[in-house]
Amino acid sequence: MTAVADRSLGPDLDLVDTISADTDVLVIGLVSGDDGPTIATLEDEFVDHILAPDVRAALQEQLRAVGAKGKAEELTRIPAPAGLGVKSVLAVGLGAADKIDAEQIRRSAGVAGRALTGVGLAVTTLSGLEGGIGPTAEGFFLGAYSFTAFKSENAEGKPDEQPVRKVQLLVGDPSVSYRKGFNHDWVVAESIATARELVNTPPSHLYPAEFAARAKALAEGAGLQVEVLDEQALAEGGYGGVLGVGKGSSRQPRLVRLTYSGGPKKIALIGKGITFDTGGISIKPAANMENMTSDMAGAAAVIAATVAAAKLELPVTVIATVPMAENMPSATAQRPGDVLTQYGGKTVEVLNTDAEGRLILADAIVRASEDDPEYLIDVATLTGAQMVALGTRTPGVMGTDDFRDRVARLSRLAGENGWAMPLPAELRADLNSKVADLANVASHRWGGMLSAGIFLKEFVPEGVQWAHLDVAGPAYNTGGPFGYIGKGGTGVPVRTLVSVIEDIAHEDRSDAAE
């Protein structure tokens, strides 16, 4: 196996100030209104001249004639009016003018990106909306993403079924003044696509050792320091949680440490890396078990976000601790009733082997805490209860009150919808064990997402600002595509993690200024 697939994860993107002669499709925004849809007004007058008044009027009349409404993410494709210099125009709905924000632009661009199959070159004016350059770039890149690593040449589809190859964003001045922000959002989009690629890789090809190798290659490519612990090093180090979960598989566990040293403040990131989860001896039902290929999505997001921090040269230190294991039933698998000694010495009675993510995260949290971070964030597809409580698109955010609320707020601003959840003190008693320091599950099913967070809290040292993100539903889309999200891995919560790291980096600069 190669460590990293050598293929593009999205279309080529660039900034331009004119429509080139070989453009296939012009993508424009359409706003809904009481008097019918109107073409979105662009902030940059230089871009706005692309749609001269007569061309704008002709386009608007044609779009209304074919029934376009401008509703959010609605698509309408028509032949281009004479003189525009393109073959066709794709109008994507933005909704009401007062509802257009960065996330709506991102989603509309994503819908357009998904629709442009078979297109060689598309040009868009969405970048001319206020604050539209970054969201447009992200939306098109992620909307056009598709996982084709295991498609044979004969099965990859006809040329008219392939994703758009190149997208040009119209701006007034494609120079340095725009390019810095554009490059930033491209890095973020690539990082999200990288996380998707890891999540979508099947467990036959992404097992702990291979996952570790890919993480190492990605990290070293960005100049990060890398440490990989194999099963022998894990045993010598006393990582009982990782070893206990992984002992049922012939493919042995790993723990990967990535370090980006960019500044004085330390942020610890931890991601659950279960490359496949059968549930172990407490085996899952067969129906939909194939979706458990996504149980390493937290690890994928943490790796991608750490690499993004390095590429963006953020002035903070980020240390990722990523435990990786495969949870399988076998003659060597841990049993319900076993007791594990976690890294650091705390003992846990395993009542349910399908509550394995918290066991490997506990080891990683204690190890990460030895680096004395000021902030600690763990990310995991941890509980089905997250989806019961919040649905499939809303991550649950738990942790120390102030930092939890800060992370949830930044997640919503980033378009990933994190929602703060409590860790009720009365639920702690439900994790008591008769034979160990605590049990890995409660004796009842109530508040399962919160109980998992309370379990992890037992391993977080006092004084550390901590957030736990449960992304069981949001990290993997089993339904139909929407916005810039296709089926499979979504890359959630990479954008949240990058936003939080940047927010802490900004806080660090503010402190220095004072």
Side-chain angles (χ1 to χ4, degrees), residues 262-288:
K265 286 197 173 180
K266 288 184 182 178
I267 304 168
L269 298 183
I270 296 157
K272 174 187 172 184
I274 298 295
T275 57
F276 192 77
D277 182 19
T278 66
I281 297 297
S282 306
I283 197 164
K284 295 177 182 290
N288 302 314

Side-chain angles (χ1 to χ4, degrees), residues 300-391:
V302 160
I303 292 165
T306 305
V307 171
K311 290 183 176 180
L312 295 172
E313 300 181 346
L314 300 179
V316 289
T317 290
V318 181
I319 305 174
T321 303
V322 187
M324 302 171 174
E326 187 175 60
N327 189 23
M328 299 288 285
S330 74
T332 61
Q334 65 178 351
R335 298 157 289 255
D338 282 359
V339 173
L340 301 177
T341 300
Q342 301 278 166
Y343 183 83
K346 193 166 289 189
T347 58
V348 174
E349 181 184 11
V350 180
L351 297 181
N352 187 323
T353 65
D354 194 23
E356 83 299 329
R358 64 199 71 184
L359 300 176
I360 69 170
L361 289 173
D363 277 0
I365 288 171
V366 177
R367 174 61 187 91
S369 298
E370 293 177 349
D371 299 316
D372 296 321
E374 287 133 291
Y375 304 89
L376 189 152
I377 307 171
D378 74 83
V379 183
T381 50
L382 202 59
T383 66
Q386 177 273 319
M387 291 181 278
V388 174
L390 295 173

Side-chain angles (χ1 to χ4, degrees), residues 139-158:
F140 273 102
F141 192 90
L142 296 172
Y145 167 85
S146 63
F147 184 69
T148 60
F150 293 88
K151 294 279 190 180
S152 65
E153 289 187 9
N154 292 332
E156 281 189 355
K158 300 174 182 178

Side-chain angles (χ1 to χ4, degrees), residues 272 354-362 365 378 380-386 396-399 421-424 427-428 430-431 438-460 466-472:
K272 174 187 172 184
D354 194 23
E356 83 299 329
R358 64 199 71 184
L359 300 176
I360 69 170
L361 289 173
I365 288 171
D378 74 83
T381 50
L382 202 59
T383 66
Q386 177 273 319
V397 185
M398 291 144 275
M421 299 294 290
L423 294 177
L427 294 181
R428 171 59 184 86
D430 298 328
L431 296 175
L438 71 163
N440 74 324
V441 293
S443 56
H444 56 75
R445 62 190 294 265
W446 313 119
M449 173 176 62
L450 312 182
S451 291
I454 290 169
F455 178 92
L456 295 178
K457 183 180 178 182
E458 291 290 307
F459 298 87
V460 178
W466 165 58
H468 160 57
L469 279 70
D470 194 334
V471 292

Side-chain angles (χ1 to χ4, degrees), residues 155-374:
E156 281 189 355
K158 300 174 182 178
D160 62 356
E161 297 172 348
Q162 298 304 301
V164 57
R165 294 192 297 275
K166 188 171 185 176
V167 178
Q168 294 179 336
L169 281 61
L170 282 163
V171 295
D173 176 15
S175 64
V176 177
S177 61
Y178 285 109
R179 195 156 297 275
K180 183 177 180 180
F182 170 73
N183 289 342
H184 168 279
D185 289 286
W186 196 348
V187 167
V188 174
E190 284 187 313
S191 299
I192 293 170
T194 295
R196 290 181 178 184
E197 193 81 352
L198 290 168
V199 172
N200 289 333
T201 301
S204 54
H205 291 71
L206 192 78
Y207 42 90
E210 173 64 15
F211 194 9
R214 294 194 186 201
K216 181 179 180 181
L218 287 166
E220 289 182 341
L224 277 64
Q225 293 177 313
V226 181
E227 177 187 17
V228 179
L229 303 184
D230 61 13
E231 65 271 26
Q232 182 177 344
L234 290 169
E236 292 172 354
Y239 291 86
V242 180
L243 289 168
V245 173
K247 66 190 288 189
S249 175
S250 61
R251 304 195 286 192
Q252 294 298 306
R254 295 288 186 270
L255 186 136
V256 176
R257 301 250 302 158
L258 313 177
T259 301
Y260 162 64
S261 300
K265 286 197 173 180
K266 288 184 182 178
I267 304 168
L269 298 183
I270 296 157
K272 174 187 172 184
I274 298 295
T275 57
F276 192 77
D277 182 19
T278 66
I281 297 297
S282 306
I283 197 164
K284 295 177 182 290
N288 302 314
M289 193 192 288
E290 68 276 8
N291 293 330
M292 287 299 99
T293 184
S294 67
D295 214 17
M296 36 61 66
V302 160
I303 292 165
T306 305
V307 171
K311 290 183 176 180
L312 295 172
E313 300 181 346
L314 300 179
V316 289
T317 290
V318 181
I319 305 174
T321 303
V322 187
M324 302 171 174
E326 187 175 60
N327 189 23
M328 299 288 285
S330 74
T332 61
Q334 65 178 351
R335 298 157 289 255
D338 282 359
V339 173
L340 301 177
T341 300
Q342 301 278 166
Y343 183 83
K346 193 166 289 189
T347 58
V348 174
E349 181 184 11
V350 180
L351 297 181
N352 187 323
T353 65
D354 194 23
E356 83 299 329
R358 64 199 71 184
L359 300 176
I360 69 170
L361 289 173
D363 277 0
I365 288 171
V366 177
R367 174 61 187 91
S369 298
E370 293 177 349
D371 299 316
D372 296 321
E374 287 133 291

